[in-house]
Amino acid sequence: MVSLQLNAVEARYGRKVVYAEASTPEIAGGRLTALVGANAAGKSTLFRRIAGQLAGKGEVRFVGAGLHDLRYMPQDTGMTAALSVYESVILALKQGRGGWRMGAGELAAVDEILAGLKITALSGRPLSELSGGQRQLVSIAQTLVSRPRIVLMDEPTSALDLYRQYEVLEYLRLYAADTGSVTILALHDLNQVMRACTMTIAVAEGRIVAAGPTLETLRPELIRQLYGIEARVETCSRGCPMMIVDRAVREG
Ligand SMILES: Nc1ncnc2c1ncn2[C@@H]1O[C@H](COP(=O)(O)OP(=O)(O)OP(=O)(O)O)[C@@H](O)[C@H]1O
């Protein structure tokens, strides 16, 4: 079983300390975990620290996986390379593996991920000619094609239409269940979080302020603390929890 835990982790940019001592409970694999918080709260910074891109004290403890099994999809993937979609996914698969010979299994993995995300038709298109939503789907394919056991995704649905948001969240949920991977998604849409993520970690001003089962964690008091928004969680007529926003309770 794969899991991840932070113990008194520091994350800094040079002298600027964003997290002084961030700790989490064990984050289990096999299900989706949400990372939530306001703009500039520290979500991407926490991902960078887990991914080994930032230094600092404390322990990032992986069980059943290591940094070589980790893929981090940043918010802005800046796809400028003169490659086709298919080539870019092959490149992502080859990252860290060495050699260019493609086995039948590797080609099948590329075909499978493109089909799974319903972007096979984009295979031959240059990255530079894709729409924002298409780029985001390709980026997800690049992140998952090697079937990593630790997956960190920064706002993976931010450029997608409603249908694609639903499809991608479902795809990610099944990916986590199939592979047992620790899959953490930074998300702003709390209804997506409630629909898809079993566990939620909330950050504010460089501190982890809550972590636990999603429905127990996303309480109105926490929403107010994180976002300055008065909100309710109610059950819709089909039995699903929904976040209803009433009003802003702070300026700015
Ligand atoms: N390269 C950097 N150098 C210095 N400070 C940075 C750097 N990147 C981010 N920060 C700062 O770190 C803090 C946390 O930023 P971070 O990008 O982690 O927030 P976030 O929660 O991901 O925000 P958003 O929802 O807006 O993407 C902010 O104060 C930000 O200005």
Side-chain angles (χ1 to χ4, degrees):
M1 184 63 161
V2 182
S3 71
L4 167 66
Q5 185 166 15
L6 307 186
N7 294 318
V9 162
E10 180 194 59
R12 56 163 71 225
Y13 297 99
R15 287 179 160 194
K16 176 175 172 172
V17 177
V18 179
Y19 289 91
E21 279 204 332
S23 298
T24 65
E26 186 170 55
I27 304 167
R31 61 204 196 166
L32 297 181
T33 297
L35 179 61
V36 303
N39 290 137
K43 302 179 295 297
S44 306
T45 302
L46 200 63
F47 277 165
R48 288 185 201 121
R49 179 67 179 84
I50 295 170
Q53 295 179 4
L54 291 177
K57 290 180 283 199
E59 182 196 24
V60 178
R61 195 165 76 93
F62 299 106
V63 175
L67 263 187
H68 61 282
D69 289 320
L70 181 151
R71 290 290 177 277
Y72 165 41
M73 184 179 111
Q75 217 168 329
D76 180 11
T77 50
M79 289 188 183
T80 51
L83 295 173
S84 70
V85 166
Y86 199 84
E87 288 164 339
S88 78
V89 178
I90 287 179
L91 193 65
L93 180 61
K94 283 297 184 185
Q95 184 193 334
R97 290 193 179 183
W100 280 102
R101 194 180 294 275
M102 289 291 290
E106 290 177 311
L107 288 171
V110 174
D111 289 339
E112 196 183 313
I113 194 87
L114 294 174
L117 291 163
K118 300 185 179 169
I119 52 173
T120 305
L122 298 179
S123 296
R125 294 271 294 277
L127 293 178
S128 57
E129 292 179 14
L130 300 180
S131 75
Q134 289 172 333
R135 273 206 297 278
Q136 194 159 41
L137 291 166
V138 172
S139 185
I140 294 168
Q142 292 170 347
T143 306
L144 299 183
V145 66
S146 58
R147 295 181 77 76
R149 291 158 72 77
I150 309 272
V151 180
L152 312 175
M153 290 185 157
D154 217 332
E155 298 179 35
T157 60
S158 60
L160 303 181
D161 66 42
L162 210 48
Y163 171 81
R164 295 289 195 169
Q165 287 174 25
Y166 179 88
E167 287 271 301
V168 163
L169 278 180
E170 191 56 16
Y171 187 85
L172 295 175
R173 199 178 63 73
L174 292 175
Y175 175 86
D178 279 357
T179 57
S181 71
V182 170
T183 305
I184 310 179
L185 314 178
L187 292 169
H188 282 303
D189 184 335
L190 300 183
N191 279 317
Q192 287 186 2
V193 174
M194 287 193 293
R195 177 189 288 274
C197 301
T198 310
M199 183 178 175
T200 293
I201 297 169
V203 296
E205 292 165 7
R207 282 186 312 115
I208 293 178
V209 293
T214 293
L215 293 180
E216 287 171 27
T217 306
L218 287 183
R219 299 276 188 200
E221 310 81 66
L222 182 72
I223 307 302
R224 189 184 181 109
Q225 178 189 356
L226 295 180
Y227 302 105
I229 284 289
E230 205 170 276
R232 290 167 280 147
V233 177
E234 297 206 347
T235 305
C236 84
S237 57
R238 294 190 176 179
C240 295
M242 302 288 300
M243 174 83 50
I244 298 165
V245 172
D246 289 316
R247 64 189 182 105
V249 288
R250 71 161 153 78
E251 297 292 311

CSV table of all heavy atoms in Angstrom, one decimal, residues 13 16 18 38-45 48 75 155 188, ligand 1:
chain,number,residue,atom,x,y,z
A,13,TYR,N,11.4,29.6,-0.3
A,13,TYR,CA,12.1,30.1,-1.5
A,13,TYR,C,13.2,31.0,-1.1
A,13,TYR,O,12.9,32.1,-0.6
A,13,TYR,CB,11.1,30.9,-2.4
A,13,TYR,CG,9.9,30.1,-2.9
A,13,TYR,CD1,8.6,30.2,-2.2
A,13,TYR,CD2,10.0,29.3,-4.0
A,13,TYR,CE1,7.6,29.5,-2.7
A,13,TYR,CE2,8.9,28.6,-4.5
A,13,TYR,CZ,7.7,28.7,-3.8
A,13,TYR,OH,6.6,27.9,-4.3
A,16,LYS,N,12.7,33.2,2.0
A,16,LYS,CA,11.3,33.3,2.3
A,16,LYS,C,10.7,32.0,2.7
A,16,LYS,O,10.6,31.1,1.9
A,16,LYS,CB,10.5,33.9,1.0
A,16,LYS,CG,9.0,33.9,1.2
A,16,LYS,CD,8.4,34.6,0.0
A,16,LYS,CE,6.9,34.5,0.2
A,16,LYS,NZ,6.1,35.2,-0.8
A,18,VAL,N,7.7,29.7,3.4
A,18,VAL,CA,6.2,29.6,3.2
A,18,VAL,C,5.6,28.7,4.3
A,18,VAL,O,4.7,29.0,4.9
A,18,VAL,CB,5.9,29.1,1.8
A,18,VAL,CG1,4.4,29.0,1.6
A,18,VAL,CG2,6.5,30.1,0.7
A,38,ALA,N,-7.1,29.2,-0.4
A,38,ALA,CA,-7.2,30.4,-1.2
A,38,ALA,C,-6.0,30.6,-2.1
A,38,ALA,O,-5.0,30.0,-1.9
A,38,ALA,CB,-7.4,31.7,-0.3
A,39,ASN,N,-6.1,31.6,-3.0
A,39,ASN,CA,-4.9,32.0,-3.9
A,39,ASN,C,-3.8,32.3,-2.9
A,39,ASN,O,-4.0,33.0,-1.9
A,39,ASN,CB,-5.3,33.2,-4.7
A,39,ASN,CG,-6.3,32.8,-5.9
A,39,ASN,OD1,-7.2,33.6,-6.1
A,39,ASN,ND2,-6.1,31.7,-6.5
A,40,ALA,N,-2.6,31.9,-3.3
A,40,ALA,CA,-1.4,32.2,-2.6
A,40,ALA,C,-1.3,31.6,-1.2
A,40,ALA,O,-0.4,31.9,-0.4
A,40,ALA,CB,-1.1,33.7,-2.5
A,41,ALA,N,-2.2,30.6,-0.9
A,41,ALA,CA,-2.2,30.0,0.4
A,41,ALA,C,-1.0,29.0,0.6
A,41,ALA,O,-0.5,28.8,1.7
A,41,ALA,CB,-3.5,29.2,0.6
A,42,GLY,N,-0.5,28.5,-0.6
A,42,GLY,CA,0.7,27.6,-0.5
A,42,GLY,C,0.5,26.2,-1.1
A,42,GLY,O,1.3,25.3,-0.8
A,43,LYS,N,-0.5,26.1,-1.9
A,43,LYS,CA,-0.8,24.7,-2.4
A,43,LYS,C,0.3,24.3,-3.4
A,43,LYS,O,0.9,23.2,-3.2
A,43,LYS,CB,-2.2,24.7,-3.2
A,43,LYS,CG,-3.3,25.1,-2.3
A,43,LYS,CD,-4.6,25.2,-3.1
A,43,LYS,CE,-4.7,26.2,-4.2
A,43,LYS,NZ,-4.6,27.6,-3.7
A,44,SER,N,0.7,25.1,-4.3
A,44,SER,CA,1.8,24.7,-5.3
A,44,SER,C,3.1,24.6,-4.5
A,44,SER,O,3.9,23.7,-4.9
A,44,SER,CB,1.9,25.8,-6.3
A,44,SER,OG,0.7,26.1,-7.0
A,45,THR,N,3.3,25.4,-3.5
A,45,THR,CA,4.5,25.3,-2.8
A,45,THR,C,4.6,24.0,-2.1
A,45,THR,O,5.7,23.4,-2.1
A,45,THR,CB,4.6,26.5,-1.8
A,45,THR,OG1,4.5,27.7,-2.5
A,45,THR,CG2,5.9,26.5,-1.0
A,48,ARG,N,5.5,21.4,-4.6
A,48,ARG,CA,7.0,21.5,-5.0
A,48,ARG,C,7.9,20.9,-3.9
A,48,ARG,O,8.8,20.2,-4.2
A,48,ARG,CB,7.4,22.9,-5.3
A,48,ARG,CG,6.8,23.5,-6.5
A,48,ARG,CD,7.3,24.9,-6.8
A,48,ARG,NE,6.4,25.6,-7.7
A,48,ARG,CZ,5.7,26.7,-7.4
A,48,ARG,NH1,6.0,27.4,-6.3
A,48,ARG,NH2,4.9,27.2,-8.3
A,75,GLN,N,0.6,23.9,-12.5
A,75,GLN,CA,-0.6,24.6,-13.0
A,75,GLN,C,-0.4,25.1,-14.4
A,75,GLN,O,-1.2,24.9,-15.3
A,75,GLN,CB,-0.7,25.9,-12.1
A,75,GLN,CG,-2.1,26.3,-11.8
A,75,GLN,CD,-2.1,27.4,-10.8
A,75,GLN,OE1,-1.2,27.4,-9.9
A,75,GLN,NE2,-3.0,28.3,-10.8
A,155,GLU,N,-4.6,22.0,-10.0
A,155,GLU,CA,-5.8,22.4,-10.7
A,155,GLU,C,-6.0,21.7,-12.1
A,155,GLU,O,-6.0,22.4,-13.1
A,155,GLU,CB,-5.8,23.9,-10.9
A,155,GLU,CG,-5.8,24.6,-9.5
A,155,GLU,CD,-5.8,26.1,-9.6
A,155,GLU,OE1,-6.4,26.7,-10.6
A,155,GLU,OE2,-5.2,26.7,-8.7
A,188,HIS,N,-10.1,24.3,-6.8
A,188,HIS,CA,-10.8,25.4,-6.2
A,188,HIS,C,-12.3,25.1,-6.1
A,188,HIS,O,-13.0,25.8,-5.3
A,188,HIS,CB,-10.6,26.6,-7.1
A,188,HIS,CG,-9.2,27.3,-6.8
A,188,HIS,ND1,-8.8,27.7,-5.6
A,188,HIS,CD2,-8.2,27.6,-7.7
A,188,HIS,CE1,-7.6,28.3,-5.7
A,188,HIS,NE2,-7.2,28.2,-6.9
B,1,LIG,N1,9.2,31.3,-6.9
B,1,LIG,C1,8.7,31.9,-5.8
B,1,LIG,N2,9.5,32.7,-5.1
B,1,LIG,C2,9.1,33.4,-4.0
B,1,LIG,N3,7.9,33.3,-3.5
B,1,LIG,C3,7.0,32.5,-4.2
B,1,LIG,C4,7.4,31.8,-5.4
B,1,LIG,N4,6.3,31.1,-5.8
B,1,LIG,C5,5.3,31.3,-4.9
B,1,LIG,N5,5.7,32.2,-4.0
B,1,LIG,C6,4.9,32.7,-2.9
B,1,LIG,O1,4.6,31.6,-2.0
B,1,LIG,C7,3.3,31.8,-1.5
B,1,LIG,C8,2.4,30.6,-1.8
B,1,LIG,O2,2.3,30.5,-3.2
B,1,LIG,P1,1.7,29.2,-4.0
B,1,LIG,O3,2.0,29.4,-5.4
B,1,LIG,O4,2.1,28.0,-3.3
B,1,LIG,O5,0.1,29.5,-3.7
B,1,LIG,P2,-1.2,28.6,-4.2
B,1,LIG,O6,-2.0,28.2,-3.0
B,1,LIG,O7,-0.7,27.5,-5.2
B,1,LIG,O8,-1.9,29.8,-5.0
B,1,LIG,P3,-2.9,29.8,-6.3
B,1,LIG,O9,-4.3,29.2,-5.9
B,1,LIG,O10,-3.1,31.3,-6.6
B,1,LIG,O11,-2.3,29.1,-7.4
B,1,LIG,C9,2.7,33.1,-2.1
B,1,LIG,O12,2.9,34.1,-1.1
B,1,LIG,C10,3.6,33.3,-3.3
B,1,LIG,O13,3.7,34.7,-3.6
